[in-house]
Amino acid sequence: MDNQNSNFIKDIMIKDLESGKHDTIMTRFPPEPNGYLHIGHAKSIILNFGLADDFSGTTNLRFDDTNPAKEDIEFVNSIKEDVKWLGFEWDNLFFASDYFDEMYNRAVLLIKKGLAYVDDLSADEIREYRGTLTEPGKNSPHRDRSIEENLDLFQRMRNGEFGNGEKVLRAKIDMASPNINLRDPVIYRIAHVTHHNTGDKWCIYPMYAFAHPLEDAIEGVTHSICTIEFEDQRPFYNWVVEQCEMKNQPQQIEFGRLNLTNTVMSKRKLKQLVEEGFVDGWDDPRMPTISGMRRRGFTPESIRTFVRETAVSKNNATVDFEMLEHFVREDLKLKAPRTMGIINPLKVVITNYPEGQIELLDAEINPENPEMGMRKIPFSREIYIEQDDFMENPPKKYFRLFPGNEVRLKHAYFIKCEEVVKDADGNVVELRCAYDSETKSGTGFTGRKVKGTIHWVEATHAVPAEFRLYEPLILDTSEENEEGTFLDHVNPNSLQVFEGFVEPNMKESRPHDKFQFFRHGYFNVDPKHTTVDKLVFNRIVSLKSSFKL
């Protein structure tokens, strides 16, 4: 677990093993299959799998599929893929639906013990009866039904005799409890919905808060690690395990959620972004989903390192997104081949270079990792440079190309701008330059120096490419109020698309190949829009940041 060696959850596990409370450690990662996983879930994955690995224990992947109205096999498959991509293998794969029969039997046990009853109140009435943080709740008029009547009604609920919302099964605890979660929570509801695993076998489904502790206890989970918002649910978690007479007694431990700046981490909000067309799917590279980050080009190593560098504590924390970007730069700087790509092309004709001649120049694949070797890049009379690398009337200390100025072409020669060609509207469409053959890179030329070096791509062999540059999808949401929603803070400039060119050696690039484009940053070949005839590059991150650990 690297930097989690001293986290408080691990300390608890050490004490439990030393005291003999447990002779092994079992954790679980229990996602609900109602959406795609995001970076916050990555912290839970890495924590659960990592802690179990530290103690040579086991980790189950379990889908809490108790709400079929919102679940889909698509989400199940995406979650499996995300866990594997992050570098983890589960020891066992379970579904909450595997235990529906036993959960039903445990609910019957509660009824027989006088600890559960069938209620006819509507959802709104239940909320009204529940009370507030300062006022106790009041008993349902159906709370004192006999055990026999409750058993009969619950069986009839299972048989499908009632419609959705007509009846629920509630735990019978304490309507005056200072913890609202103990004020007779609903533990079963009616839902005539086909389940992705069990089909139409059931028309009643356990509530998450009831099912979850039973699942942990059935599997023999020793430590049920969850985020801090479940802390108030822990008394009910323990009540369920005890009153349902479960053999195993898991321990629930809460930790602070991971949040990122300029990022929403609510599945409901992420779903809204998808359904209302603000993004092109759950895997949009602007989304904080693991699949979106994978498509953008983040590496599993960078995400694991990022999570391990964030604190494991009881407090929720918001971490600067630039910290995550820092770790992907660190991971890619020795892995990613260097190359040149022109995002916003401007044509340059080198007037004194021989027409029809193609020269192959040597360039390092990665100067920070010499073992990656060298590559050949073509050079000719016509090249493309970035439009931003030319200014007709530059300010002081502008060292790139302008009329009369000389610059070095990366890996090539010095060129001097001699003529500017414009269209009828006065836009610069072409530069005419002269090169100096004695200034070739690698020859040791020291006759004179230039202050600017720019990148380029040879025009006749250049491969057309699309470049997608990203900014935060969500702007600062601190101004969000009751009259607005987070959608008011969606950044209209979160995606910019450019049509440009890359070196010819990029033609064989495949989805998820990663490169560092000179001066532009690290890019990933997009797996969704790249075709045999068209390369699409997502910018993972720019080259530099002011962020410091």
Side-chain angles (χ1 to χ4, degrees):
M1 290 290 291
D2 298 344
N3 288 348
Q4 290 184 355
N5 286 334
S6 60
N7 80 65
F8 75 96
I9 302 175
K10 186 169 185 176
D11 293 340
I12 292 172
M13 292 179 171
I14 291 173
K15 290 179 181 178
D16 287 347
L17 290 172
E18 290 177 345
S19 68
K21 181 179 180 180
H22 301 295
D23 56 13
T24 187
I25 296 295
M26 179 185 287
T27 62
R28 81 289 170 270
F29 175 61
E32 297 173 77
N34 58 5
Y36 280 57
L37 301 183
H38 55 61
I39 187 68
H41 296 110
K43 181 169 185 176
S44 181
I45 293 170
I46 293 167
L47 192 58
N48 277 285
F49 281 89
L51 284 167
D53 288 345
D54 282 347
F55 296 101
S56 300
T58 56
T59 303
N60 298 336
L61 173 62
R62 181 182 68 235
F63 291 94
D64 271 319
D65 55 344
T66 58
N67 189 4
K70 295 184 177 181
E71 296 162 357
D72 195 284
I73 194 66
E74 172 192 353
F75 301 135
V76 171
N77 292 334
S78 73
I79 289 168
K80 290 179 181 177
E81 183 180 4
D82 289 345
V83 172
K84 288 183 177 180
W85 179 76
L86 282 172
F88 299 103
E89 288 287 342
W90 49 87
D91 293 282
N92 301 287
L93 176 65
F94 296 122
F95 291 83
S97 52
D98 295 336
Y99 314 130
F100 278 174
D101 286 289
E102 182 162 359
M103 290 177 187
Y104 178 84
N105 292 334
R106 299 291 171 169
V108 169
L109 173 63
L110 292 179
I111 295 173
K112 290 179 177 179
K113 294 172 69 172
L115 296 176
Y117 62 97
V118 175
D119 197 359
D120 297 354
L121 293 180
S122 68
D124 289 338
E125 289 171 329
I126 290 174
R127 279 190 291 270
E128 181 182 341
Y129 274 59
R130 185 177 291 130
T132 67
L133 293 173
T134 56
E135 297 179 356
K138 57 183 180 180
N139 290 347
S140 164
H142 312 291
R143 195 174 195 266
D144 294 324
R145 278 174 164 154
S146 69
I147 290 175
E148 291 73 18
E149 185 179 5
N150 284 318
L151 288 171
D152 176 65
L153 288 172
F154 192 47
Q155 179 65 53
R156 291 169 65 192
M157 286 170 62
R158 177 177 182 174
N159 293 343
E161 295 184 26
F162 307 109
N164 294 348
E166 283 190 40
K167 297 184 187 299
V168 294
L169 182 69
R170 299 177 68 178
K172 192 174 185 178
I173 308 178
D174 181 5
M175 289 302 295
S177 172
N179 186 335
I180 291 180
N181 295 294
L182 296 179
R183 295 180 187 176
D184 292 10
V186 174
I187 59 176
Y188 262 90
R189 81 288 204 193
I190 299 170
H192 291 274
V193 180
T194 300
H195 191 283
H196 70 95
N197 259 357
T198 58
D200 295 318
K201 177 181 178 181
W202 296 90
C203 62
I204 58 171
Y205 293 96
M207 300 298 287
Y208 175 87
F210 177 68
H212 187 73
L214 292 179
E215 296 156 25
D216 286 344
I218 292 168
E219 292 172 15
V221 168
T222 58
H223 299 83
S224 177
I225 305 167
C226 57
T227 46
I228 197 68
E229 67 265 28
F230 291 100
E231 186 172 33
D232 290 340
Q233 285 278 2
R234 194 195 320 149
F236 181 59
Y237 181 103
N238 293 335
W239 185 92
V240 170
V241 171
E242 180 180 351
Q243 297 302 332
C244 287
E245 302 177 10
M246 305 305 292
K247 176 182 177 181
N248 298 309
Q249 301 279 321
Q251 179 180 0
Q252 178 175 304
I253 307 171
E254 307 86 16
F255 68 95
R257 290 173 62 97
L258 171 64
N259 296 301
L260 290 174
T261 54
N262 300 107
T263 308
V264 292
M265 304 283 264
S266 157
K267 276 188 184 179
R268 177 184 61 81
K269 291 180 178 179
L270 295 176
K271 184 178 181 181
Q272 196 172 351
L273 288 169
V274 173
E275 292 182 343
E276 297 190 22
F278 287 93
V279 293
D280 73 349
W282 287 93
D283 65 346
D284 188 294
R286 293 166 290 179
M287 292 278 273
T289 55
I290 296 174
S291 59
M293 290 185 165
R294 177 166 62 247
R295 181 178 160 198
R296 181 158 170 176
F298 283 90
T299 62
E301 294 85 356
S302 65
I303 293 177
R304 291 199 303 266
T305 304
F306 165 71
V307 167
R308 288 166 176 163
E309 288 291 337
T310 59
V312 180
S313 70
K314 283 280 189 178
N315 300 317
N316 290 332
T318 298
V319 180
D320 197 318
F321 193 87
E322 289 189 1
M323 181 178 177
L324 176 57
E325 293 179 328
H326 165 79
F327 286 114
V328 76
R329 285 190 193 95
E330 287 296 299
D331 186 48
L332 289 177
K333 68 180 182 181
L334 297 180
K335 297 179 180 178
R338 305 301 194 256
T339 188
M340 294 190 287
I342 301 300
I343 287 177
N344 198 8
L346 175 60
K347 190 173 183 179
V348 173
V349 177
I350 303 171
T351 56
N352 62 335
Y353 195 87
E355 289 192 39
Q357 178 173 306
I358 297 291
E359 182 178 1
L360 293 179
L361 304 176
D362 292 321
E364 310 100 326
I365 293 176
N366 186 331
E368 295 188 61
N369 186 358
E371 292 183 3
M372 294 182 71
M374 304 289 288
R375 72 184 194 277
K376 296 286 188 179
I377 52 177
F379 182 79
S380 75
R381 178 184 173 88
E382 295 183 0
I383 63 173
Y384 293 114
I385 67 168
E386 293 289 351
Q387 290 197 20
D388 289 346
D389 282 341
F390 172 79
M391 291 187 72
E392 193 170 11
N393 299 295
K396 290 184 178 179
K397 296 187 178 180
Y398 182 85
F399 300 123
R400 283 170 275 173
L401 206 55
F402 55 87
N405 191 46
E406 191 174 44
V407 298
R408 172 175 288 284
L409 295 176
K410 182 72 173 174
H411 304 302
Y413 300 93
F414 290 6
I415 62 169
K416 179 185 288 187
C417 180
E418 296 184 329
E419 183 182 350
V420 179
V421 180
K422 299 181 181 180
D423 62 15
D425 296 322
N427 299 310
V428 177
V429 294
E430 185 179 296
L431 303 178
R432 294 185 177 274
C433 300
Y435 91 115
D436 184 343
S437 61
E438 295 184 357
T439 60
K440 185 176 181 180
S441 292
T443 61
F445 174 79
T446 58
R448 63 186 182 280
K449 294 183 178 180
V450 292
K451 293 184 176 180
T453 298
I454 64 175
H455 61 289
W456 54 277
V457 171
E458 194 273 329
T460 61
H461 291 79
V463 176
E466 180 177 292
F467 300 88
R468 298 185 169 207
L469 275 53
Y470 301 100
E471 296 295 336
L473 179 61
I474 304 296
L475 301 173
D476 181 15
T477 57
S478 61
E479 301 296 323
E480 186 175 337
N481 55 50
E482 295 180 359
E483 297 179 359
T485 73
F486 82 101
L487 295 177
D488 297 327
H489 300 274
V490 172
N491 181 2
N493 300 313
S494 61
L495 169 63
Q496 291 182 300
V497 180
F498 295 89
E499 299 291 336
F501 299 96
V502 294
E503 294 180 26
N505 60 1
M506 302 287 285
K507 190 174 184 179
E508 303 303 319
S509 299
R510 294 292 177 263
H512 294 297
D513 285 349
K514 295 169 179 59
F515 303 91
Q516 187 201 99
F517 286 115
F518 186 69
R519 287 206 2 243
H520 287 308
Y522 292 96
F523 286 73
N524 184 57
V525 180
D526 185 88
K528 193 169 186 176
H529 296 304
T530 292
T531 66
V532 174
D533 301 317
K534 183 179 182 181
L535 283 171
V536 178
F537 292 94
N538 297 321
R539 183 158 72 178
I540 310 166
V541 65
S542 60
L543 282 182
K544 295 182 179 180
S545 169
S546 58
F547 178 81
K548 294 182 179 179
L549 284 177

